[in-house]
Amino acid sequence: MSDQIHRSRRNLPHWYREGFSAIYSITFRLADSLPLEKLTFLEKERERFINDHPKPWDDEIWKSYHLRFTEQIETWLDAGYGSCFLSRLEIRQHLIDALLKFEGERHDLIAGVIMPNHVHLLLHPREGTEVNKLLQGIKGTSARWINKALGLTGSNLWMDESYDHIVRSKEELKYLTNYIRENPRSLSADSFWLEEREVSLNLRSDPSYEMLFVFTKA
């Protein structure tokens, strides 16, 4: 059984690990969640960064890239651009149903927040479930249900690109769960969904991880 970490890239890195349990931090967003002019500006900046840093990149350059560009996208997402369909309970519920449809069978939800125009999740895919296929299922199912409810069948609901990475320590897990918890702090209670679970995952078989991840409500 392989313990190899795999990383595939388009504009964002996608990580998965064969053979061992892992917790993934996942972000995806509505297709209209960022204005075209901001995306155009960010793309020009990204092209400049790439020209200044010829590939292949080491992990330090990737870290610099995401500090510069991923955090900027997060700031814009929190500003609430676009249709923000997910602020409506009857629409948001379709995504919740898709997310929880196979919980306890294909994955375990550790924490998650559905914001008006984007989603942050901490998920543990169960053995035999690949994170990319899990995410495709959640996005595909919810898109069909939501587009039908909105009368937009055939429309592109989600931005094709998502962001996912392996959570590598208890400290990072605590940071990310706290980020999820705090993300909707400025929103009204009826405009978002926030869920936190108590989860204990034994990762002793994987020496590159913390021996035990424990998440509890604080």
Side-chain angles (χ1 to χ4, degrees):
M1 187 177 293
S2 171
D3 67 348
Q4 181 68 35
I5 290 180
H6 299 273
R7 176 167 50 185
S8 63
R9 293 173 173 136
R10 283 182 290 170
N11 291 332
L12 297 174
H14 299 269
W15 301 78
Y16 65 97
R17 187 176 183 109
E18 292 181 349
F20 293 107
S21 294
I23 298 170
Y24 288 82
S25 174
I26 299 169
T27 298
F28 55 98
R29 58 188 175 88
L30 293 176
D32 68 349
S33 58
L34 293 178
L36 180 59
E37 63 271 17
K38 290 188 177 295
L39 287 174
T40 300
F41 168 79
L42 201 65
E43 181 61 23
K44 289 180 179 179
E45 291 296 303
R46 195 179 73 86
E47 289 178 359
R48 185 176 297 111
F49 184 93
I50 291 172
N51 288 335
D52 292 341
H53 302 83
K55 294 183 178 181
W57 294 349
D58 60 22
D59 286 343
E60 285 302 312
I61 297 179
W62 275 108
K63 181 178 179 180
S64 176
Y65 174 90
H66 286 292
L67 284 173
R68 183 169 179 177
F69 297 104
T70 304
E71 289 190 2
Q72 178 63 77
I73 289 176
E74 288 291 327
T75 299
W76 287 340
L77 287 174
D78 288 339
Y81 292 106
S83 59
C84 292
F85 290 133
L86 301 176
S87 64
R88 295 163 52 183
L89 175 59
E90 73 276 14
I91 299 301
R92 188 167 64 245
Q93 189 62 50
H94 291 301
L95 175 56
I96 297 170
D97 292 344
L99 173 61
L100 300 183
K101 184 177 181 180
F102 293 108
E103 189 188 17
E105 179 182 343
R106 298 180 185 176
H107 71 275
D108 301 295
L109 174 69
I110 296 175
V113 62
I114 300 177
M115 300 287 283
N117 62 4
H118 67 286
V119 181
H120 295 296
L121 301 172
L122 284 170
L123 287 181
H124 169 237
R126 293 202 171 189
E127 184 176 358
T129 302
E130 295 181 8
V131 67
N132 60 332
K133 292 183 179 179
L134 177 63
L135 187 54
Q136 287 171 7
I138 293 170
K139 291 173 69 176
T141 299
S142 61
R144 288 193 298 274
W145 292 344
I146 291 173
N147 278 337
K148 183 177 180 180
L150 294 171
L152 298 174
T153 299
S155 299
N156 183 20
L157 181 74
W158 300 113
M159 189 71 180
D160 178 57
E161 188 67 86
S162 303
Y163 174 62
D164 55 79
H165 79 272
I166 291 173
V167 180
R168 297 172 175 272
S169 69
K170 286 193 292 186
E171 289 73 23
E172 185 180 7
L173 183 62
K174 290 178 181 178
Y175 171 82
L176 290 169
T177 52
N178 185 65
Y179 180 86
I180 285 174
R181 186 184 299 122
E182 293 296 316
N183 203 203
R185 64 187 180 277
S186 63
L187 300 179
S188 61
D190 62 350
S191 64
F192 68 91
W193 175 83
L194 177 65
E195 187 76 10
E196 302 176 23
R197 307 289 175 83
E198 183 176 317
V199 175
S200 178
L201 295 175
N202 189 344
L203 303 179
R204 275 192 285 266
S205 61
D206 186 348
S208 69
Y209 279 73
E210 293 284 343
M211 290 298 133
L212 187 68
F213 282 174
V214 178
F215 171 76
T216 56
K217 293 182 181 180

